[in-house]
Amino acid sequence: MISNLSVVVPVYNVEQYLPRCLDSLLSQTRQPEEIILVDDGSTDGSGAICDEYERKHNIVIAIHQTNQGLSAARNAGIDAARFDRITFVDSDDYIEPSMYADLLEIMDREEADIAVGGFWTEKEQGEKYHRQQTPV
């Protein structure tokens, strides 16, 4: 079963991290159909980065709103999503290149409605030091 995938990224004052996050989403082996960036009233250059990625990539959608908090930003992304599977990525994180391919394959095989992946904690210098796994 091939499922369409919407990615929602709440954005607030993360200009230092946002390009790496977005580049990781755009370089997926199984690319999502849309990436929805919800700029929640950023006061740094994050909003401009959202607009730049929207101009350069036809699957990126930038939404700008006054600051309402993380939940409101996620909800705005859900409201804008056009596809049946929705995933969230924090704007100061990045994901492995095969994450969506792997999760969607498992979901389809197991006929699951939800999937949760593990994660690594990383120091500022890039050293990964703690892997957190979740049961399948």
Side-chain angles (χ1 to χ4, degrees):
M1 174 174 140
I2 301 295
S3 295
N4 294 323
L5 182 65
S6 297
V7 178
V8 175
V9 183
V11 175
Y12 182 74
N13 289 349
V14 289
E15 68 181 337
Q16 174 183 355
Y17 305 103
L18 189 55
R20 185 176 188 185
C21 173
L22 300 179
D23 291 342
S24 76
L25 295 172
L26 291 164
S27 63
Q28 288 294 295
T29 57
R30 195 305 192 176
Q31 200 169 69
E33 280 64 38
E34 64 183 359
I35 299 170
I36 303 166
L37 310 177
V38 183
D39 174 27
D40 191 40
S42 294
T43 58
D44 65 358
S46 297
I49 293 169
C50 292
D51 292 339
E52 175 187 345
Y53 274 79
E54 181 180 46
R55 276 192 305 278
K56 291 181 178 178
H57 305 279
N58 64 349
I59 65 169
V60 175
I61 300 161
I63 298 171
H64 301 276
Q65 64 184 31
T66 58
N67 182 258
Q68 299 173 48
L70 180 59
S71 294
R74 284 186 176 150
N75 288 336
I78 291 170
D79 290 343
R82 296 179 297 149
F83 299 106
D84 57 341
R85 290 195 173 161
I86 299 174
T87 182
F88 301 96
V89 175
D90 290 344
S91 52
D92 61 346
D93 293 340
Y94 66 95
I95 62 176
E96 294 294 327
S98 67
M99 186 178 106
Y100 293 136
D102 294 343
L103 287 177
L104 288 170
E105 187 275 324
I106 291 168
M107 288 179 73
D108 289 343
R109 183 181 68 230
E110 301 297 325
E111 298 181 13
D113 292 328
I114 189 168
V116 179
F119 63 91
W120 285 92
T121 305
E122 186 173 290
K123 295 181 181 178
E124 286 292 322
Q125 300 79 12
E127 177 187 346
K128 293 179 181 178
Y129 67 92
H130 184 257
R131 184 169 186 200
Q132 187 68 33
Q133 291 183 303
T134 57
V136 176

